[in-house]
Amino acid sequence: MVTRVPPHPSRPRGRLRVLLASGAAALALAAGSVVPGNPLAPAPQEAHAADGTSTLTVAVAQSVDSLSPFLAQRLLSTSIHRLMYDFLTNYDAKDNHTIPGLATAWEPSADKLTWTYTIRSDSKWSDGEKATAEDAAWTFNTMMTDEGAATSNGSFVSNFRKVTAPSPDKLVIELKQPQATMTALDVPIVPKHVWEKVGDFSKFNNDTKFPIVGNGPFILTDYKVDSYVKLKANKDFWRGAPKFDELVFRYYKDQDAAVAALRKGEVSFVAGSPSLTPAQAASLKSAENIKVNDAPGRRFYALATNPGARTKDGKKFGDGHTALLDQKVRQALFMAVDRTTIIDKVFQGHAIEGEGYIPPRYGSYFWKPAAGQKHAFDPAKAAALLDEAGYKKNSDGKRAGKDGKPLDFRILCHATDPNDKAIGKYLQEWWGDLGVGLKVDCRDNVSDPWYAGEYDLAFDGWSVNPDPDFVMSIHTCAALPAKAKESAATDNFICDKQYDDLYAKQLAEYDPAKRADLVKQMESRLYDTGYMNVMAYPNAVEAYRTDQIKSITTMPSDAGNIFGQDGYWSWWSAVPAAGASGDSSGGSGSSTGVLIGVGIAVVVLAGGGLLFAMRRRSTAEDRE
């Protein structure tokens, strides 16, 4: 599951990728709790309550789009599902290599068209039922046969021919063609005996009965829209119980309010929307009992254009500007973007200049355009391209088409993301110099107009998984919606045959080096078509209270993010500052994870390996 962040809106058009970013509220959700910042609010809460219960509160800036793992796409939602349900495999927190999850072992046939997974015997659902291969087979078969159930992660099963569970501990998946993602199926496995009662998967949000049955490190016990999500530690989790008894994600529409709550001890952790601003991070670095984590992230921040919204059968919809169907116009706009200024003035050094679609954190897939291919900042060339495209300046200095209409665009902006607003102002200046008008349309909900195709450009972004398949699949023709204005896997309505051919080849390529080369060719094609342009790779800038959290795992362990990992390592490993004892491995294992806490790094054995792989984008709402 990758969480994607559509143009940074709240997952534009439904896209939930926005980077969720954020945050932090670490306070226990007691009935009638007071809104953070209210003068009547209670005194700062400790990680340990009077009854000895420890609560870790995380302030977040993104809303939950769905508690159904079949529908969720936003980073917050998919991150919560990693806590609720086990996946077949996970990713080690140290270096992202595949480690056991619900499956303890896996073996392909000689032709690699049949994969057999051994399902662990020590995992059970929170209602006492044993988790078996039948649960996994039912999950995958449902995604294969029900369009609604395939909404979020259907790309993982589109090549499956047959899935069976010949015994409780054996899962067999037969493929149509070789598939390189068989040890990176980022799909939450749900309990068959609960979910087989669901009628319409396209409408069921899994939010009608609590606690929700799961087998992950935490059990979801309560939820209130745009307010909080509350989970309790699963004492029977096979890898070991979390150290905190409760985990609360509390929603803050205002990032400054979330930071203020951290200062007062009302929350334990804050990540921002999707990251803390440079000013917020600087102010927190000198604050008592607060540690700022500033590390390379797994996200990219981009500009996306509307290539013409359409359904899988070719039906057009939406009202995207037709000028953006011209590649020269798209490239002209990108050449009038000064990335150096964005890095220096907006991110203030807490990011590096964007190039390819996959961040440098994933070295084997990181791609850079060749010197003659790069859309470098060149206003003069941008102006020439617009002239060639037939949009010349009129007597008022405005670009206009042959019909005399001025060249004016709209760009979807996430109202909760200060970066969108700041960069929007720069774009108005730079493109204004070209004679192009721009309206920065900041909304709390960017998903609706995004899915409806009612936008020209959008701030986009995704969190990328260790395996790039998902984040590349959202630009295939197969990801387009079946019906107009319907939620779908597509990031930006892109449909390009050459790109699709490369996608199919990389999916079937088991050789790591050859597959990486094909992925880079896909990035090159995406870059040249000009529908998207990556401006930056932002750092993960987040903060937590060291008097509430003694230690917590980052991913990668030596310098990585805490929020939005491809796994549950951070919240599962977190150790309460008061009365914490023992290691955070939960008593199992083999993988090494680094715990950052109170200024020191502690190496801990985390059973069987650590897992992390996130995806989703940060555009509209940051899809994982």
Side-chain angles (χ1 to χ4, degrees), residues 70-130:
F70 295 117
L71 301 178
Q73 296 182 30
R74 294 180 185 172
L75 180 59
L76 176 59
S77 306
T78 56
S79 295
I80 289 172
H81 288 143
R82 289 183 178 277
L83 303 174
M84 297 169 60
Y85 304 105
D86 222 345
F87 293 26
L88 287 182
T89 60
N90 279 328
Y91 303 90
D92 187 277
K94 184 177 182 179
D95 59 9
N96 295 325
H97 75 269
T98 300
I99 60 171
L102 184 60
T104 60
W106 42 90
E107 184 69 32
S109 59
D111 61 5
K112 295 187 178 181
L113 291 179
T114 299
W115 287 72
T116 302
Y117 300 82
T118 300
I119 303 302
R120 64 177 55 259
S121 60
D122 56 351
S123 176
K124 66 179 181 179
W125 301 107
S126 53
D127 62 359
E129 294 285 330
K130 186 175 181 179

Side-chain angles (χ1 to χ4, degrees), residues 2 91 156 180-184 186 362 365 464-471 506 515 566 613-615:
V2 171
Y91 303 90
F156 287 114
T181 61
M182 296 308 289
T183 60
D186 293 331
Y362 304 109
Y365 297 111
V464 179
N465 292 341
D467 188 290
D469 180 76
F470 178 87
V471 82
Q506 69 82 29
R515 185 182 179 216
D566 262 331
M614 288 174 153
R615 81 171 112 203

Side-chain angles (χ1 to χ4, degrees), residues 390-392 394 398-407:
Y391 296 95
K392 298 184 178 181
N394 58 25
K398 288 280 297 180
R399 296 278 173 179
K402 294 180 180 179
D403 57 5
K405 292 182 179 179
L407 195 59

Side-chain angles (χ1 to χ4, degrees), residues 352-369:
I352 60 176
E353 184 176 332
E355 295 181 292
Y357 191 68
I358 296 176
R361 172 161 162 175
Y362 304 109
S364 59
Y365 297 111
F366 179 58
W367 170 86
K368 300 175 66 172

Side-chain angles (χ1 to χ4, degrees), residues 285-329:
K285 284 183 178 179
S286 59
E288 185 178 4
N289 296 323
I290 292 179
K291 179 176 178 60
V292 174
N293 181 52
D294 186 352
R298 50 184 282 261
R299 295 183 51 253
F300 64 78
Y301 183 90
L303 278 177
T305 63
N306 183 347
R310 54 187 150 168
T311 60
K312 289 181 180 179
D313 61 4
K315 180 181 179 181
K316 297 180 180 180
F317 61 95
D319 61 0
H321 202 301
T322 56
L324 292 173
L325 300 179
D326 190 326
Q327 184 180 25
K328 289 183 179 179
V329 173

Side-chain angles (χ1 to χ4, degrees), residues 419-497:
N419 293 329
D420 283 9
K421 297 176 182 178
I423 294 173
K425 291 181 179 179
Y426 277 112
L427 293 180
Q428 288 178 318
E429 177 185 340
W430 295 327
W431 294 354
D433 290 342
L434 281 177
V436 175
L438 179 67
K439 176 186 177 182
V440 181
D441 185 11
C442 294
R443 304 191 185 192
D444 291 334
N445 173 14
V446 301
S447 297
D448 289 346
W450 198 311
Y451 280 131
E454 296 171 353
Y455 68 101
D456 299 326
L457 299 109
F459 289 108
D460 199 356
W462 283 83
S463 293
V464 179
N465 292 341
D467 188 290
D469 180 76
F470 178 87
V471 82
M472 305 307 290
S473 73
I474 59 179
H475 298 304
T476 61
C477 300
L480 293 173
K483 297 179 180 180
K485 300 185 179 182
E486 205 174 59
S487 175
T490 183
D491 174 49
N492 206 49
F493 301 105
I494 294 173
C495 180
D496 177 74
K497 185 180 185 303

